[in-house]
């Protein structure tokens, strides 16, 4: 009885507890806007904990309104009952990802792109069954990818992260509704050939810049756009991959190891606008059936071993604007047929083995060419005057050939010309004054020829000229003071490039960018860009052409840097003489001045302090007098080389104020006296920076024990630290070799698509243009990827 009572009471208690639990349970499962708000406030404190300063828009949550639907970055269902979208893109969020997104159980849209999120994607995300849009691109997320469970996804963007491993945990699990998937620029590995068969709705798939191996997925022909560029895909392409109803608009297989012939069935893809097969091992003929793809605007076949015959059928491609047949080992005279591609805008034949001249082919009569790149061949004729008839030319790249003779003054008639690159040829004679008529010119690259005479004062008329490289010629005479007028105003050109939806960039952009970036072993980008992919290169180039600064430059006397466009003057390795014009102070748009290994003399003008220089190299001249104390006020200097001159007096202590200096050389100025400080910036440099100066004293090392042997010859020195060569790698793990892999046709693709999508108003999906500097910095890329011997 007592027992019973006890039992009853116990039973009652159990029921009671159960009841309570059930009530609590229903209360918990009853989601509402209030619970959503609760979770968002948890998210807010989670983020605030990890981001004590520099918080994003989420910081204001709850400040203006208690209804979360009004909060920054939040969107709700049409009835306002639940939170359905969260956009914290570009919100300066770092740290790990929030682990309870699934508690927002109506969440359909999640955008955390362009932050610096780290670590793995938490398992919790797999429970977000309603997610339709997930964008985690441009972060530092890592680990294997498992999104199984996120089955409603339509758009997935994981590009530019550090994900690893193969895709099998997520694909085909997330495939049902998937339309867009961007996995590019990660570290994914493994095969792709059976991952996407189940993705019946897929239209846009970007797998570029990963480490995928194995054979190509054969199902791609039902997509609209497919890129697997920059991977390690092997094997032949099977003819059956090109189904009869192929709907591809853009196909990019560039920079892989795909072998064999290109199947003629490719012509089934009769909507193709861009076809990029660059940088593979294709052999055999270029299929003449390509000539029936009348929509084709970009055809990129460089870096393969196609046979030399270009099918006549390609002449039918009325829309063809871009033709790239670089690096195909074509020898002999340039094929005549190129002279008949009158529809072309860009013709890129660099890196072949062409010999002889170019006039016989008739390409100089092509009416609409804006870009002609014949660099890295073996042309050996005189520089053809006929090129001056190509009045639409904007980019003329003839570098690295054996062109001889003089520069025709008629080139001064190319009024649209923005880049003239004739470097590394055998050109003689003087620089024609008529080049001063090139008022659109941004680049003048004449380095490594045998040019003589003076720099014509007319060049000073080139008001938009920003990047001048005349190094390693035999130029003589004084630098005309008119030269200081260059680069005073390039806005009209930049403005017109901004207006132009046409492809202003192109395959040589990495080459030119390389030269731009690496003056004297200094790459302003070295510390900014650790992802040396062709995408970065293309963006930099595009930004430069539009006059958007890509690296920070500081104004006189200030160390505050702002993004602005800034040029260089590279005159080293000539026989230039005279004094540096005092007008030099006007050159506010220049950050690199290289006058090394010439015969300049006199004082270094104090006005130089007005130029926002980052690099100043005047070594190997006959400068004399005091080193101007004003140099100590050039706060942005990172590299200062005054070595091998006749400077005298005391070394100014103000140089110790140059806190950004990482390269300093004052050696072999034997008349220079003074004491080398043991602290401050100058105290950070070793003996090499000061040797050969017996009157200098250092508490740290002995400088007068012996006078070391004289420095190596100027020319040698130029090559060591010059515009090219090994100096390129000097910037903080930034490998140009890696960057240049894929230069050439590979990168045109994006540009071409940019052009096309812009023009047609289609989704701009291959070229996210100028998306800021900050995320480039954030992303780490193995600088040595692509270091696998692929040639430019
Ligand atoms: C993802 O976000 C990035 C950066 O915010 C944006 O450029 C990209 O277009 C987005 N991806 C998709 C598929 O919408
Ligand atoms: C890819 O993996 C390699 C080797 O594990 C590493 O060196 C590199 O930094 C990784 N790259 C990225 C983008 O995560
Ligand atoms: C294309 O054709 C194949 C058979 O050749 C068929 O299975 C597929 O459904 C077709 N695709 C479309 C989009 O029509
Ligand atoms: C050249 O360009 C002009 C203007 O864009 C165009 O009208 C003309 O048809 C083009 N010529 C050829 C041969 O494509
Ligand atoms: C280029 O031409 C020069 C002579 O003009 C010759 O010595 C050299 O071997 C040629 N190079 C190639 C790669 O054919
Ligand atoms: C081109 O330039 C040359 C020399 O500068 C000049 O004599 C000639 O008249 C110009 N030709 C045309 C067609 O403008
Ligand atoms: C081109 O340059 C030459 C030499 O500087 C000059 O005589 C001529 O007038 C210029 N022509 C034009 C069209 O500006
Ligand atoms: C100049 O010539 C040297 C020696 O041949 C070569 O190493 C270097 O690459 C050339 N410089 C440029 C700017 O191409
Ligand atoms: C620069 O250096 C001089 C001499 O060493 C010193 O007097 C001056 O305060 C320094 N100026 C700045 C801005 O640091
Ligand atoms: C994928 O992302 C990369 C890097 O963010 C971007 O360059 C590319 O255009 C994107 N591709 C698509 C298809 O959106
Ligand atoms: C991807 O390939 C690059 C270049 O071959 C290599 O350095 C890197 O280690 C690879 N990453 C992985 C994760 O295999
Ligand atoms: C500053 C502010 O508006 N705070 C409000 C945040 O929301 C809670 C309730 O959700 C209010 O009590 C606070 O006043």
């Amino acid at each position: 009885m007592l027992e019973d009572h006890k039992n009853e009471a116990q039973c009652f208690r159990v029921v009671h507890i159960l009841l309570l639990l059930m009530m609590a349970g229903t209360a918990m499962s009853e989601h509402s806007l209030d619970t959503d708000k609760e979770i968002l406030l948890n998210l807010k404190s989670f983020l605030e904990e990890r981001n004590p300063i520099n918080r994003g828009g989420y910081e204001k949550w709850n400040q203006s309104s208690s209804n979360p639907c009004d909060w920054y970055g939040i969107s709700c269902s049409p009835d306002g009952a639940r939170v359905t979208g969260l956009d914290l893109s570009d919100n300066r969020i770092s740290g790990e990802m929030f682990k309870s997104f699934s508690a927002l159980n109506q969440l359909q849209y999640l955008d955390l792109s362009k932050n610096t999120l780290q670590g793995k994607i938490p398992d919790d995300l797999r429970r977000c069954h309603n997610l339709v849009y997930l964008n985690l691109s441009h972060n530092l997320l890592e680990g294997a990818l498992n999104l199984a469970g996120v089955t409603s996804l339509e758009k997935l963007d994981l590009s530019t992260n550090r994900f690893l491993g193969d895709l099998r945990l997520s694909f085909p699990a997330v495939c049902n509704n998937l339309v867009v998937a961007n996995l590019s620029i990660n570290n994914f590995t493994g095969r792709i050939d059976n991952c996407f068969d189940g993705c019946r709705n897929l239209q846009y798939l970007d797998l570029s810049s990963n480490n995928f191996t194995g054979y190509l997925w054969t199902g791609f022909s039902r997509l609209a756009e497919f890129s697997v560029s920059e991977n390690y895909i092997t094997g032949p392409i099977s003819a059956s991959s090109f189904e009869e109803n192929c709907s591809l608009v853009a196909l990019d297989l560039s920079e892989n190891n795909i072998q064999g012939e290109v199947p003629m069935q490719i012509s089934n893809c009769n909507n193709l606008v861009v076809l990029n097969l660059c940088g593979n091992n294709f052999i055999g003929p270029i299929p003449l059936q390509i000539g029936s793809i009348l929509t084709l605007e970009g055809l990129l076949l460089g870096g393969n071993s196609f046979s030399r015959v270009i099918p006549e059928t390609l002449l039918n491609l009325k829309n063809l604007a871009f033709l790239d047949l670089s690096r195909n080992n074509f020898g002999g005279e340039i094929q005549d047929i190129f002279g008949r591609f009158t529809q072309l805008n860009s013709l890129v034949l660099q890196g072949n083995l062409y010999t002889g001249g170019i006039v016989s082919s008739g390409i100089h009569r092509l009416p609409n060419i804006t870009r002609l790149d014949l660099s890295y061949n073996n042309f050996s004729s005189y520089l053809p005057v006929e090129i001056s008839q190509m009045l639409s030319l904007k980019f003329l790249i003839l570098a690295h050939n054996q062109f001889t003779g003089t520069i025709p003054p008629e080139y001064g008639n190319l009024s649209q010309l923005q880049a003239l690159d004739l470097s590394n040829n055998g050109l003689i004679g003087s620089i024609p004054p008529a080049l001063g008529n090139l008022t659109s010119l941004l680049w003048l690259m004449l380095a490594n020829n045998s040019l003589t005479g003076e720099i014509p004062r007319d060049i000073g008329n080139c008001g938009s000229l920003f990047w001048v490289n005349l190094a390693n010629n035999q130029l003589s005479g004084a630098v005309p003071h008119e030269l200081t007028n260059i680069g005073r105003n390039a806005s009209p050109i930049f403005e017109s490039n901004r207006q132009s939806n046409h492809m202003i960039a192109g395959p040589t952009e990495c080459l030119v960018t390389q030269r731009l970036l690496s003056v004297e072993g200094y790459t302003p980008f070295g510390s900014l860009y650790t992802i040396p992919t062709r995408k970065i290169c293309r963006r930099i180039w595009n930004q430069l052409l539009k006059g958007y600064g890509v690296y920070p430059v500081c104004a006189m006397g200030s160390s505050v840097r702002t993004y602005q466009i800034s040029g260089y003057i590279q005159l080293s390795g000539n026989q230039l003489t005279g004094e540096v014009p005092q007008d030099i102070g006007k050159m506010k748009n220049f950050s690199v001045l290289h006058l090394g290994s010439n015969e300049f003399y006199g004082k270094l003008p104090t006005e130089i302090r007005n130029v926002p220089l980052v690099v100043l190299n005047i070594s190997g001249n006959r400068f004399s007098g005091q080193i101007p104390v004003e140099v100590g006020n050039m706060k942005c200097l990172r590299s200062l080389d005054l070595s091998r001159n006749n400077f005298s007096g005391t070394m100014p202590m103000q140089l110790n104020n140059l806190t950004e200096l990482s390269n300093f050389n004052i050696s072999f100025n034997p008349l220079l006296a003074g004491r080398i400080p043991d602290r401050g910036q100058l105290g950070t440099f070793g003996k090499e920076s000061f040797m050969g100066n017996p009157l200098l004293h250092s508490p740290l090392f002995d400088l007068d024990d012996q006078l070391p042997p004289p420095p190596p010859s100027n020319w040698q020195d130029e090559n060591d630290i010059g515009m090219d060569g090994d100096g390129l790698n000097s910037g903080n793990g930034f490998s140009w070799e890696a960057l240049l892999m894929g230069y050439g046709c590979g990168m045109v693709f994006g540009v071409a698509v940019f052009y096309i999508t812009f023009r047609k108003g289609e989704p701009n999906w291959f070229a996210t243009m100028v998306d800021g500097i900050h995320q480039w910095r954030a992303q780490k890329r193995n600088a040595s990827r692509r270091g696998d011997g692929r040639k430019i």
Side-chain angles (χ1 to χ4, degrees):
M1 187 72 191
L2 226 154
E3 216 51 292
D4 272 8
H5 256 288
K6 224 184 187 172
N7 276 349
E8 217 167 87
Q10 245 174 17
C11 207
F12 181 77
R13 213 174 294 149
V14 170
V15 170
H16 186 78
I17 289 170
L18 273 176
L19 246 159
L20 274 176
L21 276 177
M22 277 166 65
M23 280 165 66
T26 45
M28 267 169 63
S29 69
E30 194 158 294
H31 288 273
S32 66
L33 196 57
D34 280 338
T35 51
D36 287 348
K37 183 169 152 189
E38 206 62 31
I39 292 150
L40 290 175
L41 291 175
N42 286 344
L43 171 60
K44 178 184 172 179
S45 39
F46 178 90
L47 294 176
E48 285 179 344
E49 220 168 89
R50 282 156 187 81
N51 299 274
I53 48 164
N54 285 334
R55 290 169 177 162
Y58 58 86
E59 193 177 18
K60 299 195 198 79
W61 285 357
N62 185 33
Q63 267 165 15
S64 51
S65 149
S66 60
N67 179 359
C69 297
D70 298 335
W71 291 356
Y72 167 90
I74 304 297
S75 46
C76 288
S77 50
D79 61 359
R82 296 296 306 278
V83 169
T84 55
L86 177 56
D87 177 358
L88 292 180
S89 166
D90 205 358
N91 261 249
R92 298 187 276 193
I93 300 170
S94 53
E96 305 237 302
M97 254 176 90
F98 185 57
K99 293 189 179 55
S100 314
F101 282 116
S102 70
L104 295 167
N105 71 352
Q106 293 300 308
L107 196 64
Q108 296 178 5
Y109 183 102
L110 180 58
D111 187 348
L112 301 174
S113 62
K114 286 190 172 184
N115 286 295
T116 46
L117 291 166
Q118 291 161 21
K120 301 186 172 182
I121 295 185
D123 291 346
D124 168 75
L125 201 71
R126 292 213 289 278
R127 290 188 285 272
C128 295
H129 307 296
N130 290 316
L131 266 190
V132 169
Y133 179 98
L134 177 61
N135 194 341
L136 301 174
S137 69
H138 299 277
N139 278 290
L140 304 170
L141 294 165
E142 60 191 23
L145 183 70
N146 184 350
L147 293 176
V150 194
T151 47
S152 308
L153 267 188
E154 290 172 15
K155 289 188 179 170
L156 174 64
D157 192 344
L158 302 175
S159 64
T160 317
N161 277 288
R162 300 169 176 181
F163 292 113
L164 297 165
D166 77 22
L167 297 177
R168 262 160 253 256
L169 293 175
S170 306
F171 292 88
V174 298
C175 269
N176 277 351
N177 300 297
L178 205 60
V179 177
V180 175
N182 191 346
L183 307 177
S184 108
I185 316 190
N186 276 289
N187 239 336
F188 288 118
T189 52
R191 305 172 67 104
I192 55 167
D193 43 357
N194 55 5
C195 284
F196 305 100
D197 286 327
C199 303
R200 301 310 305 178
N201 296 313
L202 201 56
Q203 286 293 295
Y204 303 90
L205 178 59
D206 190 347
L207 304 174
S208 61
S209 304
N210 279 290
N211 283 19
F212 290 118
T213 52
Y215 291 154
L216 193 60
W217 173 50
T218 55
F220 61 80
S221 76
R222 67 184 146 83
L223 307 187
E225 300 187 11
F226 176 59
S227 171
V228 69
S229 162
E230 290 192 303
N231 280 287
Y232 298 94
I233 302 297
T234 55
I237 317 188
S238 77
S240 60
S241 334
F242 299 104
E243 289 178 17
E244 258 170 61
N245 51 8
C246 171
S247 52
L248 278 171
V249 173
L251 176 62
D252 185 355
L253 306 179
S254 64
E255 305 304 327
N256 280 287
N257 299 319
I258 304 173
Q259 299 135 19
E261 300 201 0
V262 176
M264 62 179 188
Q265 285 80 358
I266 195 162
S267 62
N268 286 340
C269 304
N270 53 15
N271 294 317
L272 264 183
V273 173
V274 178
L275 174 62
N276 188 347
L277 303 178
C278 283
N280 281 289
N281 300 319
F282 288 115
I283 53 167
I286 297 167
L288 57 91
Q289 290 80 0
I290 289 181
S292 66
I293 310 175
L294 296 176
T295 44
L296 213 53
E297 298 184 17
L299 178 58
L300 304 133
L301 303 175
N304 286 293
S305 301
F306 284 111
S307 47
R308 201 175 178 285
V309 179
I310 314 296
E312 295 267 329
T313 55
L314 300 189
L315 295 170
N316 301 336
L317 298 171
K318 289 285 169 269
N319 295 313
L320 193 65
F322 238 102
L323 179 60
D324 185 330
L325 276 162
S326 59
R327 298 177 289 134
N328 266 284
N329 298 318
F330 295 154
E333 294 260 330
I334 195 167
Q335 294 96 317
D336 285 350
I337 190 170
F338 287 118
R340 291 194 277 148
F341 278 98
T342 51
Q343 67 273 49
L344 287 185
N345 228 294
S346 270
L347 177 60
V348 181
L349 297 174
Q350 59 92 5
N352 281 298
L353 300 168
Y354 290 123
T355 54
I358 60 187
V359 174
S360 60
S361 68
I363 57 175
H364 61 281
R365 283 192 295 267
L366 297 178
N368 281 356
I369 291 276
T370 59
R371 176 180 298 267
L372 180 62
D373 186 349
L374 303 177
S375 60
Y376 295 92
N377 275 289
N378 218 359
F379 291 111
S380 58
S381 66
Y382 289 108
L383 215 48
V385 66
E386 287 84 351
I387 283 184
S388 66
Q389 295 157 17
M390 305 175 76
L391 292 176
S392 50
L393 265 184
K394 289 185 174 169
F395 299 89
L396 176 59
I397 317 288
L398 303 178
H400 287 275
N401 279 291
Q402 325 262 351
F403 284 113
T404 55
T406 56
I407 301 173
E410 288 80 0
Y411 285 14
N413 296 345
L414 292 167
S415 62
Q416 307 276 313
L417 207 60
Q418 297 190 18
L420 176 61
D421 189 352
L422 306 176
S423 22
N424 295 281
N425 279 292
L427 301 177
I428 56 169
S430 52
I431 300 174
L435 294 189
N437 294 344
L438 296 174
T439 48
S440 303
L441 204 61
L442 295 168
W443 275 272
L444 179 61
M445 311 284 290
L446 304 176
N448 272 349
N449 281 291
S450 302
L451 298 171
T452 52
E454 302 192 1
I455 300 175
R457 57 191 67 242
D458 310 62
I459 299 293
N461 296 335
C462 301
S464 53
L465 189 54
F466 262 73
W467 297 286
V468 184
N469 189 349
L470 308 179
N472 302 333
N473 281 290
Q474 285 127 47
L475 298 171
S476 56
V479 171
H481 73 90
E482 288 87 348
L483 195 68
T484 59
N485 290 328
I486 63 171
R488 64 188 178 277
N489 184 13
S491 327
I493 306 305
F494 292 147
E495 199 49 48
S496 78
N497 286 345
R498 285 176 205 186
Q499 304 296 318
S500 165
N501 290 339
H502 284 260
M503 37 198 170
I504 51 171
T508 50
E509 57 204 292
C510 260
L511 187 58
V512 180
T513 314
Q514 172 211 13
R515 291 176 181 185
L516 167 67
L517 295 183
S518 53
V519 192
E520 207 230 336
Y522 167 75
T523 68
F525 300 87
S527 52
L528 286 178
Y529 308 111
T530 43
I531 324 179
T533 68
R534 61 200 167 90
K535 284 175 181 145
I536 296 294
C537 203
R538 164 166 40 93
R539 275 188 215 153
I540 292 174
W541 179 235
N542 252 308
Q543 291 221 27
L544 288 177
L545 288 179
K546 297 183 176 189
Y548 298 117
V550 288
Y551 59 95
V553 174
C554 61
M556 164 195 153
S558 158
S559 52
V560 177
R561 291 163 179 271
T562 52
Y563 288 95
Q564 64 186 68
I565 202 93
S566 157
Y568 64 68
I569 299 187
Q570 163 56 297
L571 302 178
S572 70
N574 281 290
Q575 290 142 29
L576 295 166
T577 181
E579 301 192 40
V580 172
Q582 293 185 352
D583 291 351
I584 188 103
K586 290 195 303 198
M587 307 194 77
K588 298 286 196 306
N589 291 328
F590 290 80
S591 59
V592 175
L593 180 60
H594 201 326
L595 304 177
S597 303
N598 277 291
E599 289 157 26
F600 290 109
Y601 55 75
K603 293 190 169 177
L604 184 62
T606 58
E607 286 78 2
I608 194 129
R609 70 173 166 193
N610 297 332
V611 189
L613 288 178
V614 176
V615 175
L616 174 60
N617 187 334
I618 58 168
S619 78
N621 281 286
R622 289 185 275 125
F623 285 102
S624 58
Q626 281 271 357
I627 297 173
V629 294
E630 288 81 358
V631 173
N633 202 26
M634 298 168 69
K635 293 281 173 50
C636 269
L637 270 182
R638 291 186 176 174
S639 177
L640 177 61
D641 192 340
L642 308 175
S643 65
R644 294 183 282 124
N645 278 293
N646 294 323
F647 284 114
S648 58
T650 23
M651 183 178 75
M653 278 307 105
Q654 283 81 354
L655 296 183
N656 218 11
N657 293 353
L658 297 172
T659 50
E660 304 220 0
L661 217 50
S662 60
N663 177 38
F664 177 68
N665 195 346
I666 204 171
S667 61
F668 298 99
N669 282 281
L671 303 178
L672 203 59
R675 205 185 124 269
I676 301 165
D678 56 352
R679 57 186 66 200
Q681 200 66 20
L682 295 189
T684 63
F685 298 102
K687 186 171 171 174
E688 327 73 68
S689 296
F690 303 98
M691 63 193 185
N693 299 329
L695 304 179
L696 273 183
H697 300 287
S698 165
L700 299 177
F701 36 78
D702 203 1
L703 281 169
D704 42 22
D705 46 358
Q706 40 147 184
L707 199 61
S713 85
N714 297 347
W715 173 259
Q716 183 59 44
D717 192 47
E718 261 356 278
N719 286 337
D720 284 344
I721 59 170
M723 301 290 295
D724 36 72
D726 302 330
L728 290 181
N729 279 336
S730 61
N732 317 328
F734 186 87
S735 156
W736 271 108
E737 194 188 7
L739 199 153
L740 287 172
M741 295 304 159
Y743 134 64
C745 53
M747 57 192 326
V748 190
F749 182 57
V751 176
V753 174
F754 165 66
Y755 159 72
I756 289 152
T757 52
F758 231 89
R759 261 200 4 191
K760 303 201 164 165
E762 281 166 10
N764 183 11
W765 89 259
F766 266 91
T768 26
M769 288 295 299
V770 188
D771 50 359
I773 295 294
H774 112 266
Q775 87 273 17
W776 303 349
R777 186 178 340 183
Q779 299 125 21
K780 291 263 182 284
R781 196 73 186 142
N782 184 353
S784 64
R785 78 167 278 135
R786 301 297 142 196
D788 54 357
R790 291 179 200 182
K791 291 165 296 297
I792 311 175

